[in-house]
Amino acid sequence: LLPPSPPHLFIHWQDWLLAPIVLTTRPQQDPSRPASLETSKHSVKSCPPNFKIASHTTQSTMSRAAETLASIPLATRCIMALCILTYAYQVLFDPPLHNYTMCPRNVLYKNEYYRILTSALFHGSLMHIGMNMMSTMAIGSMLEKKIGTLMLGITILWGILLTSAIYVILSWLLFLVFGYEKMMLQHSLGFSGVIFQLSVVESNLSPNRVRSVFGVFQVSSRMYPWALLVVLQFIMPQISFLGHLSGILVGTLQYYGVLDVLFPSETYLQECETSDRLGFLRRQPGYASAPETGSTRENRDIDIRSALFTAFESTTLFIKNVCETIKVCI
């Protein structure tokens, strides 16, 4: 379908596609009048209604997107922007991904330590980064409002380093003890390991005692990341089980205070927030202040027996719900 080309019709071909009926009503140009005046006159009179609707829809969509972006806290927004910019670099320059993935053999024997950082920021596809960023936005936003922007930023930084480190250690132990070399040679990438770490901390701090796994069955909040680990592995067997498991282990160690030596104290965080050095950061939209009492360090008086009993009870409830789900499906 080609646009009309009579010399007496001073219209653009997109206008002809959007409003073909207007063509029969547009008058010919008066030779005695300037062409610019005639053209502007017709453009005002025959503005296609579809263009107005599309313009209004676009403005409404942009407004909603701006509101959604403004509702995301600062640290979560920054890590999302970093991952998206990294993926934009992948799209524009198409670097070989195997040079940036997590490969334990290359880290240990070739000293390619940069993979510890790049493996968390690079993603394999648009769907991969889309799902991870939506999860980051949901979990990170809730957690940042509970523990503050500074604490979440430090948590993510240590999460990237420790999740990759535990991944390498577990792969090496599997090879050393059982001779299982597959994990040493496997390449993996993505931010999902840190997402599982944040999910563990957020689930333990949540006031909700139970959570639903994809609307199929319910588990306790503390067992939710573990249930999600198993269910996702069944749904998508190609995902990195060891990477997700490493994130859960880091989150568990952080919540129970094993990693407290790596994190600043509550007093120091509050002093930093009141100092003039971070005044510029505090004025940024979406900045979340640290809570009065440490949210990540409350309920630390739980002893090992209580924790084991809770884990056993949650595991029993999880198995019972799975069996009931299978029974209903059959």
Side-chain angles (χ1 to χ4, degrees):
L1 181 63
L2 297 176
S5 56
H8 58 276
L9 289 177
F10 288 87
I11 60 173
H12 199 266
W13 66 273
Q14 284 97 335
D15 292 338
W16 178 77
L17 289 177
L18 291 174
I21 301 178
V22 182
L23 293 175
T24 59
T25 62
R26 291 188 178 182
Q28 298 184 2
Q29 179 188 356
D30 188 356
S32 62
R33 303 183 64 182
S36 59
L37 180 59
E38 192 72 20
T39 304
S40 62
K41 176 181 177 182
H42 294 320
S43 62
V44 173
K45 284 187 176 181
S46 58
C47 181
N50 294 338
F51 176 78
K52 296 180 179 180
I53 297 176
S55 176
H56 176 72
T57 304
T58 303
Q59 293 177 357
S60 178
T61 303
M62 294 297 293
S63 177
R64 288 196 297 268
E67 292 177 359
T68 303
L69 184 63
S71 65
I72 303 175
L74 183 59
T76 305
R77 192 191 316 154
C78 289
I79 190 61
M80 289 177 60
L82 181 58
C83 291
I84 292 173
L85 289 176
T86 304
Y87 187 74
Y89 165 77
Q90 295 178 233
V91 173
L92 293 176
F93 299 98
D94 193 22
L97 281 183
H98 65 272
N99 291 338
Y100 302 95
T101 57
M102 168 52 64
C103 181
R105 181 180 65 87
N106 291 7
V107 173
L108 292 177
Y109 300 120
K110 294 186 178 181
N111 300 326
E112 296 178 354
Y113 302 114
Y114 68 89
R115 294 178 181 269
I116 293 177
L117 179 63
T118 58
S119 61
L121 301 179
F122 280 71
H123 290 80
S125 64
L126 181 61
M127 181 179 179
H128 187 197
I129 189 174
M131 294 179 63
N132 278 356
M133 291 304 99
M134 286 190 293
S135 301
T136 303
M137 181 177 65
I139 299 175
S141 298
M142 291 187 294
L143 184 59
E144 185 170 353
K145 294 175 182 177
K146 294 178 182 178
I147 66 177
T149 295
L150 291 180
M151 191 62 178
L152 182 69
I154 299 172
T155 297
I156 292 176
L157 177 61
W158 278 116
I160 293 175
L161 300 177
L162 294 178
T163 299
S164 299
I166 290 181
Y167 183 96
V168 173
I169 293 173
L170 292 178
S171 301
W172 179 74
L173 288 176
L174 287 174
F175 173 68
L176 184 65
V177 177
F178 301 101
Y180 189 71
E181 193 178 10
K182 179 180 178 181
M183 304 308 301
M184 289 288 292
L185 304 176
Q186 190 177 53
H187 290 258
S188 61
L189 76 170
F191 198 67
S192 53
V194 181
I195 294 175
F196 269 87
Q197 174 210 3
L198 300 180
S199 176
V200 171
V201 179
E202 195 278 327
S203 298
N204 282 275
L205 297 179
S206 174
N208 300 324
R209 298 181 59 87
V210 295
R211 287 193 174 184
S212 175
V213 180
F214 298 115
V216 179
F217 56 89
Q218 290 185 339
V219 296
S220 67
S221 296
R222 294 182 179 179
M223 290 299 298
Y224 176 75
W226 296 92
L228 204 61
L229 172 69
V230 176
V231 172
L232 285 178
Q233 196 65 36
F234 276 107
I235 297 176
M236 296 177 286
Q238 72 278 7
I239 62 177
S240 176
F241 176 83
L242 198 59
H244 295 172
L245 177 61
S246 301
I248 290 180
L249 293 178
V250 173
T252 304
L253 293 175
Q254 178 184 352
Y255 176 74
Y256 284 103
V258 180
L259 304 179
D260 278 356
V261 66
L262 303 177
F263 291 87
S265 63
E266 301 169 3
T267 305
Y268 181 76
L269 283 177
Q270 293 175 359
E271 290 178 356
C272 289
E273 289 197 335
T274 56
S275 66
D276 296 334
R277 292 174 296 176
L278 297 180
F280 173 77
L281 186 63
R282 292 196 305 269
R283 290 191 296 268
Q284 298 302 312
Y287 180 84
S289 301
E292 293 295 333
T293 56
S295 298
T296 57
R297 289 167 183 160
E298 61 187 5
N299 301 327
R300 290 286 178 82
D301 54 345
I302 303 177
D303 58 5
I304 301 298
R305 272 187 298 175
S306 177
L308 292 176
F309 177 77
T310 303
F312 175 77
E313 183 181 14
S314 302
T315 304
T316 305
L317 180 61
F318 170 73
I319 296 175
K320 177 182 177 182
N321 289 334
V322 171
C323 293
E324 291 179 354
T325 303
I326 296 175
K327 180 179 178 181
V328 171
C329 294
I330 295 177

